[in-house]
Amino acid sequence: MTKLQNAIVGGVRAVIGHVPASWLPGGTPDPLIDKRVALGGQQTRIDGPDKVRGAARFAAEVPMKNLLYASFVHSAIARGRIADLDVSAAEAAPGVALVMTHHNAPKMAVPPPIGMTNLKAAGNHTLPIMQDAKIRWNGQVVAVVLAETREQADHAATLIRVGYEAVQARTQFEEGKASAYTPDSMLVEKNRLDKGNAGQKLAEAAFKIDAVYTTPWENHNPIEPHASTIVWQDGKLIVHDATQMIHGTAGSLAKIFGLKVGDVQVSSPYVGGGFGAKGLWDHQILGVAAAKLADRPVRVALSRASMHRLIGGRTQTEQRVALAADADGTLKALLHHGYGVKPLHSICDEGFSLTGRSLYACESFDIVQHYVDLDLLANSFMRGPGETPGTFAIECAMDELAHAIGMDPIELRRRNVATRDPVSGAPHSQSAMMEAYDLGAARFGWHRRMAQPGMRREGEWLIGMGCASGTFPFMRMPGTSVRVTIDNSGDVHVASAAHEMGMGTATVQRQHAADRLGLPLDRVTVTIGDSSLPFASFAGGSSQTASLAAAISAASGKLVAELLRLAGNDTPLAGLKPAEVEFADGGLRGVEDPARNESFASILRRSGRAELSVVGESGAPLEIIKYSMHSTSANFCELRVSEVTGEIRVNRLVGAFDCGRILNARTATSQFKGGMIMGLGMALTEETLLDERSGRIMSTSLADYHVPVHLDVPDIDILWTDIPDPRTPLGARGIGEIGTTGVAAAIANAVFNATGKRVRDLPLTLDKLL
Amino acid sequence: MTPLTYIRASDRADALARAGSDGRFLGGGTNLVDLLRQNVERASALVDISSLDGAIRESESGGLFIDASVKNTALAAHPLVRSRYPVLARALLAGASAQIRNMATVGGNILQRTRCMYFYDVDGARCNKRQPGAGCDALYGFNRYHAILGASDQCVATHPSDMCVALAMLDAVIHLSGAAGERQVPLTDFHVLPGDTPQIETVLKSGDLITAVELPPPSDATVNSEYRKVRDRSSYAFALISVAGGLALADGQVAQARIALGGVAAKPWRARRAEQALVGRAPTPDAFLAAIREDLIDARPLSGNSFKIGLVERTMVAVLTALAGTNA
Ligand SMILES: Cc1cc2nc3c(=O)[nH]c(=O)nc-3n(C[C@H](O)[C@H](O)[C@H](O)COP(=O)(O)OP(=O)(O)OC[C@H]3O[C@@H](n4cnc5c(N)ncnc54)[C@H](O)[C@@H]3O)c2cc1C
């Protein structure tokens, strides 16, 4: 954010501060918090059977006549220019239809950057793509080959000869720190927080810890690599994409290629995992350009290696945390300083320094983060951006502080848990982290933990237990819309350009629509995944469920008014006002007098309508300005560390979550578990290997980038408080990302409890424990 | 990958005849196909030998005769392997994944190539093994997985096989067939150290076919054996280091010790000095440690793998201590 945007946010904050709570959306708690039929159940995923049968069609599988396959040539230097380029052998190779380089690529505008001000923009960087001879990172695409088969394209790509004029590239983190820059804002917060003279309080405190924690560059590695099947039809562009930003991608492609937004269609009914990576990157843009040039449909399906060279990850971080406390554990000062990499062309923030501003009450804060500008691929958001590395540092530091004071780590958190926003003083909409701790501790058996490290062993294995808090802010996106249609048999159809990456989007909104409109599940259908449907913002920030829920809720209000109007006077409902009726049994009925009712089918039949359709929209999320809205969690880990080899094996994980009401126990459990497994990977194995001499990523396969295997993943117990948040639709907050936060700290803390060794740099590979 | 022809060999003679100068034998393809796709290797023809006879039988001397096309899974499951050479079954099962082991053959496993990331990165890295004289980016780059023994300033890559570490410990012999007829090479002499020619990895000559692997008759120290692999995740990762150990005791003393190390060199490393030092000694952790240090005196760690020396020591001591316990 710019200074200007900061000022706007500040201004809005000042105005809203005077608005009474009841004026805000959600001021009266959503009645569906308590009135649940389908919600809160265990419905299986609507998309499950098709996926199991292989009938779900992913972007790289869309059948297409006359298709060409793309292969990319990546630059082998980090900075400089292409001096000579020989594509003749490639052009002459069997099956080749086109070789595209900066010499013949069509004119394209730079991608419009993703941000809160333009929800139809999805660019992760603002660099020109294949418009000049410049090389800006090692791995940038320098040529695209289109051929009749993928194999032919891949082969021809190897025949392209590229000569470079390299110049000294900046690819070293340590060196770059010296010239790091300090942004004014971190997402919607001011970057620098200096409150209550933290420096002095640190100096005077009875107990303090001051340490540096590091997390490596990480990549998402969804099971489905990025892919698009692209076709130009009569001047219009259709992209079958694997994306969690359907409208952002459509809007961006329109900008880049100078098209009307309505002339770009993006279809993405199924996505094989995204975690933040499935946005707009160079591959779609280059595929669209090549399809235009070749005048034929094109399929781009990235190899794992291309994925690592073209799709950004989570930046490495270096975080200094200092905590000061009284003898009774009361926090006196919290200092959180640090560095991440964010090239100037990169858009996504990794706001790790936000974590410490919401979790604990504290007398003073000294918080700021800096970015190192390097000649590297832009970052993207990765599950739990900011809080995932942020909780690692803060929550290890809390454990260190507890140990220094000689206090139980849960007790230290209990003494300091925030009861309102520690910085702004705003009230929580709902927050019950210690309830989550109590639930989790009971299930986990925390009382069995020995405070003294290194006390439990089985043979060569030292056993340890650890805990850590997780947190992620609530977000609801404006603009997300849903069309709700009632047909003349009274069935309901919900449609929105929302995203299904395996989380259960359609499944849960079907439960929601059924309960909202008083119907059984089997009379509701949900269609998502295409830009021809009403606008939806991205599947990110754990915001999609709340945004869709707000939109369906808004639509239901419109439906009441429309249905009453259509029903006219010749109905038992005649004379009732919208506030005097409710949805029930597939129709409307009087709240006071349920005998006064009429079904949707009857109303539509009588009014001669084949269907009734309204669009509802999730309004501006003013509640997040009035309230402090964060989900929290308590993570527990028991593990063992081999005294011989330093290998860590995790025996158990327990995650207890305070995320408002849970809408579907089954899909929620898998979201939480998946998140925790990602946290486990971060703790133990995951690391993108950047060779700092060349700016080259070396870990470009799943053999070299270690995600956890089944054997690494222990039994995971998932619990939740299920306390409704009265300020959110359905009483629910997002659950997609919080699972990843706090896990790495719980694991590192358990390693300390097992061995007495404090490892502050991830991943916790065995050599650090020998 | 460059276009190539695919031929399915009908028998051994057919395979040898068809390989030609630029042809390559195809086992399960789990390594070769990756290398071809990444242009680390090139071939004009693949001669598929994976469906040639794949038998495991007892040899006349009481050892075990294993055809080269036997799958890793089948070898690990064989009752004679499990009872007489448990170290081999363990090593096989510690490797790769079940799916890959179902495809991988004994011959291919022996000839699989290093996993050095610079070796694989044709476009972006220098590698003397891939392109002699080009330079070695691993020497001061990512070399956590690399050699501490027997390396040169030309190449510090390791041989990644688990199976071969067990075979080295068992004194396996490789049977070869080629233009010059048939010959036999002990596994410990089969792979060669890089020196100034890291592109040469084995004593195999162009067109040579591995036909079988022969294990000598079992002895106390092969039956009382163990394989321990240390890696970055609990499965589906290559060894940082591994230890194949076998121990026979008599009268409370070491009668025979067999020790081979993986993940430390361009070949499975037989720790012969330790084996000799232990004979006649009491089987104590101190004795094991002192013994393995005699081999590790020559260790030359790189920027990213000095932890391996201590790790080998501790793992070796743990393996032999456990074996001493079961043999007591
Ligand atoms: C992701 C991954 C993880 C892995 N993890 C491990 C691990 O942890 N431990 C481990 O030990 N291995 C591991 N492997 C390697 C695996 O064991 C080898 O790929 C496999 O053993 C090779 O056997 P293959 O039959 O598929 O060989 P191929 O790929 O078919 O051939 C390999 C080489 O051997 C040659 N060849 C094959 N048979 C003969 C013959 N009879 N005579 C002459 N030449 C021949 C081929 O020409 C080729 O050069 C892993 C592999 C992968 C892909």
Side-chain angles (χ1 to χ4, degrees), chain A residues 76 155 158 309 460 642-645 647 649 685 689-691 693 696 698 702 704 706-707 709 711-712 765-767 770, chain B residues 1-3 39 117-118 121 123-124 137 140-142 144-145 228 230-236 240 307 311 314-315 318:
Chain A
H155 168 56
T158 66
R309 305 210 184 288
E460 69 176 60
S642 166
E643 253 189 333
V644 174
T645 62
E647 288 166 295
R649 298 288 180 257
T685 53
L689 300 175
L690 171 76
D691 192 321
R693 299 169 298 179
R696 185 104 174 145
M698 299 310 299
L702 287 177
D704 297 311
H706 286 170
V707 296
V709 296
L711 202 55
D712 292 317
T765 48
L766 58 90
D767 44 304
L770 286 175
Chain B
M1 183 154 168
T2 50
N39 293 296
M117 292 180 284
Y118 301 97
D121 187 4
D123 294 328
D137 276 339
Y140 299 103
F142 290 111
R144 216 169 109 73
Y145 278 84
R228 182 152 180 184
V230 184
R231 49 187 145 174
D232 273 333
R233 59 182 169 190
S234 50
S235 164
Y236 203 36
L240 283 162
F307 69 93
L311 187 58
R314 300 154 79 118
T315 309

Side-chain angles (χ1 to χ4, degrees), chain A residues 701-703, chain B residues 23-35 41 46-47 49-50 52 68-72 91-92 94-97 100-101 103-113 115 120 159-164 176 190 204 207-212 227 229 231 233 235-239:
Chain A
S701 82
L702 287 177
Chain B
R24 299 293 303 278
F25 298 121
L26 180 72
T30 59
N31 189 211
L32 181 56
V33 173
D34 278 355
L35 292 164
E41 294 201 34
L46 288 184
V47 181
I49 51 167
S50 63
L52 299 188
S69 54
V70 167
K71 303 282 195 244
N72 285 191
L92 283 159
S97 66
I100 291 173
R101 295 194 298 269
M103 296 291 292
T105 61
V106 168
N109 193 319
I110 294 168
L111 286 169
Q112 65 172 300
R113 305 195 67 190
R115 308 304 292 202
Y120 270 81
H159 191 257
S161 167
D162 290 299
M163 179 188 80
C164 288
L176 298 172
F190 184 76
L204 208 67
D208 275 355
L209 182 69
I210 298 180
T211 57
Y227 185 74
K229 175 176 179 178
R231 49 187 145 174
R233 59 182 169 190
S235 164
Y236 203 36
F238 289 93

Side-chain angles (χ1 to χ4, degrees), chain A residues 161-220:
Chain A
R161 293 287 156 259
V162 192
Y164 300 100
E165 257 167 34
V167 300
Q168 184 64 45
R170 301 156 312 148
T171 48
Q172 318 244 359
F173 183 75
E174 211 40 57
E175 227 174 79
K177 272 164 56 185
S179 56
Y181 65 101
T182 309
D184 292 327
S185 309
M186 200 41 59
L187 300 169
V188 297
E189 303 290 338
K190 283 206 176 93
N191 180 15
R192 196 178 284 277
L193 172 64
D194 198 346
K195 189 184 162 189
N197 206 349
Q200 195 185 334
K201 297 214 161 97
L202 264 174
E204 294 167 354
F207 292 94
K208 66 179 159 229
I209 64 103
D210 189 343
V212 174
Y213 304 85
T214 63
T215 64
W217 183 339
E218 291 153 2
N219 278 95
H220 313 65

Side-chain angles (χ1 to χ4, degrees), chain A residues 643-654:
Chain A
E643 253 189 333
V644 174
T645 62
E647 288 166 295
I648 299 172
R649 298 288 180 257
V650 176
N651 296 341
R652 271 184 85 198
L653 288 174
V654 174

